[in-house]
């Protein structure tokens, strides 16, 4: 180890205390092993009051505990600290030692300081204040799902909607970014204005500029007489939604940046600046940070559009919402075609097991495929698209083969005649842990079933070499 590395390790905790973000390190039993000075400053709780305590006792719903159990990191993740009433955003990830053994999890996050949870929302700008008809319907209620992951982003979006802040929706293809953008628009002071949407990847680069900025008469061959306002002007007083924002060139990024900073637009072929007032919501499924590093995305434009990044979770992380969405799409088809149909228990089980790489859009297409193909009233496994059926059956066969190779002992099996009491107890204990793990969605649920402490549970996993 070099001298610089030794100095770095020696001053590690001091370095962490210079972070503006909160740093939290917890062990496998959720014991808080370290919290930096920002924890005390921003959370408002002295860190010496929490170090050594279990986070599961202080904040049992903390996202970092989920990360610890699932061993799946989360990035740009919003969550809520119930014990202090604070919204936070940040990254959490599991930590392993040199031998690959999990030793805990780290969270690095900061408060979402748009406004405090108990303060009144800021007044919208004068230029977007309009008398809004009271419809009595929450636009976000149309987003189907009861999962914590979905409620998490809706909670943040509702707050953001009341401001004129630029929003960047991030997520995989098919997660419903435009549907989410419309909900933000309808819940905002801009709702009486238009919602203007453009998929930046759907039209050639040569046409995007005139489509966005408009053009003056005679700007190019074929330009209509009198010119034409662009989508930016058409979004006046409302919301402009630009999907696939990562697909545009740096030159166009520069021109859009000017519009956002100056709040004025110049049409193609013109010199007159026209004042524009609108709310921008951008969306992407690409890694913009990597594009910035590679010089494919302007850093100034990136920081301008990502004031409030909201990550929309993929459907595989919203497993509890899959069947709700499936039923919702089926009801839509029933209303359109006037024929009632029902899912079989077998097909519902397959729908739950599939990973849905195409997300909500793929699920919607699947339900329509099944509905159209089925001649009777029952939607069953034979009506599933073949690739979904094969994927689920393939996974089931793989699991079956693994179980055949290492069969789990039955609790009903009698103990060997020569076994002593300790061996019998250990055998039963191991089997009960295996059973609880198989029947539980998370390790926390398994711990609750068993009535064990978290520390004791992980000690038993290590003792019996159980990896789930």
């Amino acid at each position: 180890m070099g001298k610089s590395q030794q100095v770095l390790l020696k001053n590690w905790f001091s370095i962490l205390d210079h972070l503006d973000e909160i740093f939290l390190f917890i062990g496998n039993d959720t014991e808080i092993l370290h919290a930096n000075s920002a924890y005390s400053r921003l959370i408002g709780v002295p860190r010496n009051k929490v170090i050594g305590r279990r986070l599961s006792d202080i904040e049992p719903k903390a996202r970092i505990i989920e990360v610890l159990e699932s061993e799946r990191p989360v990035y740009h993740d919003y969550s809520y600290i119930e014990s202090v009433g604070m919204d936070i955003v940040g990254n959490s990830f599991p930590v392993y030692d040199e031998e690959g053994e999990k030793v805990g999890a780290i969270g690095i996050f900061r408060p979402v300081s748009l406004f405090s949870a108990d303060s009144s929302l800021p007044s919208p700008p004068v230029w977007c204040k309009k008398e809004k008809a009271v419809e009595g319907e929450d636009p976000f209620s149309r987003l189907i799902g009861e999962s914590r992951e979905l409620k998490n982003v809706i909670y943040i979006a509702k707050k953001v909607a009341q401001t004129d802040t630029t929003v960047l929706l991030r997520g995989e293809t098919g997660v419903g970014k435009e549907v989410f953008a419309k909900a933000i628009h309808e819940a905002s002071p801009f709702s009486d204005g238009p919602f203007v949407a453009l998929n930046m990847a759907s039209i050639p680069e040569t046409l995007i500029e005139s489509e966005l900025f408009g053009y003056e008469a005679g700007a190019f061959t074929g330009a209509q007489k009198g010119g034409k306002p662009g989508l930016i002007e058409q979004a006046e007083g409302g919301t402009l939604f630009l999907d696939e924002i990562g697909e545009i060139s740096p030159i166009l990024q520069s021109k859009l940046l000017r519009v956002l900073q100056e709040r004025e637009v110049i049409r193609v072929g013109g010199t007159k600046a026209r004042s524009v007032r609108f709310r921008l919501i951008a969306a992407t499924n690409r890694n913009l940070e990597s594009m910035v590093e590679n010089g494919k995305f302007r850093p100034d434009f990136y920081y301008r559009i990502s004031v409030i990044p909201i990550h929309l979770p993929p459907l595989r992380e919203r497993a509890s919402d899959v069947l709700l969405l499936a039923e919702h799409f089926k009801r839509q088809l029933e209303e359109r075609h006037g024929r009632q149909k029902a899912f079989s228990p077998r097909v519902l089980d397959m729908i739950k097991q599939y990973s849905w790489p195409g997300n909500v859009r793929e699920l919607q297409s699947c339900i329509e495929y099944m509905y159209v193909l089925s001649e009777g009233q029952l939607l069953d496994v034979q009506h599933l698209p073949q690739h979904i059926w094969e994927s689920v059956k393939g996974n089931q066969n793989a699991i079956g083969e693994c179980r055949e190779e290492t069969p789990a002992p039955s609790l009903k099996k009698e103990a060997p005649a020569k076994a002593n009491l300790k061996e019998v107890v250990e055998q039963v204990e191991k089997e009960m842990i295996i059973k609880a793990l198989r029947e539980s969605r998370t390790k926390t649920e398994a711990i609750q079933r068993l009535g064990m402490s978290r520390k004791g549970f992980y000690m038993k996993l290590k003792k019996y070499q159980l990896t789930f």
Side-chain angles (χ1 to χ4, degrees), residues 63-175:
R63 187 59 54 84
I64 191 175
I65 294 178
E66 289 185 12
V67 169
L68 178 69
E69 294 171 349
S70 67
E71 299 188 30
R72 290 188 302 181
V74 295
Y75 301 102
H76 306 294
D77 179 73
Y78 287 95
S79 57
Y80 181 69
I81 305 179
E82 292 183 353
S83 58
V84 294
M86 179 183 292
D87 299 298
I88 59 171
V89 60
N91 306 331
S92 298
F93 46 90
V95 181
Y96 305 89
D97 63 17
E98 293 179 353
E99 297 177 354
E101 292 288 326
K102 183 177 66 175
V103 295
I106 285 176
I108 302 175
F109 52 90
R110 57 182 171 80
V112 178
S113 55
L114 295 177
F115 27 79
S116 63
D118 59 350
S119 66
S120 59
L121 296 173
S123 300
V126 174
W127 53 265
C128 71
K129 282 185 180 178
K130 294 182 181 179
E131 289 301 316
K132 193 175 172 184
V134 179
E135 298 289 342
E137 181 190 24
D138 176 7
F140 290 96
S141 66
R142 297 197 295 273
L143 299 173
I144 308 300
E146 294 294 332
S147 65
R148 175 177 173 178
E149 290 78 9
L150 181 65
K151 288 182 176 180
N152 177 40
V153 292
I154 288 176
Y155 179 82
I156 297 299
K158 283 183 176 181
K159 287 191 170 185
V160 174
Q162 298 302 309
T163 73
D164 64 339
T165 306
T166 300
V167 177
L168 177 64
L169 300 178
R170 310 192 69 160
E172 298 174 5
T173 298
V175 294

Side-chain angles (χ1 to χ4, degrees), residues 254-269:
S254 175
K255 293 182 178 181
L256 271 172
L257 178 62
R258 184 183 180 282
V259 172
L260 295 175
Q261 290 176 337
E262 305 299 329
R263 290 293 174 179
E264 60 183 27
V265 62
I266 300 176
R267 294 181 182 179
V268 175

Side-chain angles (χ1 to χ4, degrees), residues 347 350-351 356 366 369-370 373 380-389:
V347 83
M350 280 199 163
I351 287 172
W356 301 106
C366 169
Y369 177 94
M370 294 175 66
L373 271 190
D380 210 345
V381 291
Q382 68 267 26
H383 302 127
L384 281 169
Q386 186 175 356
H387 72 279
I388 293 178
W389 189 89

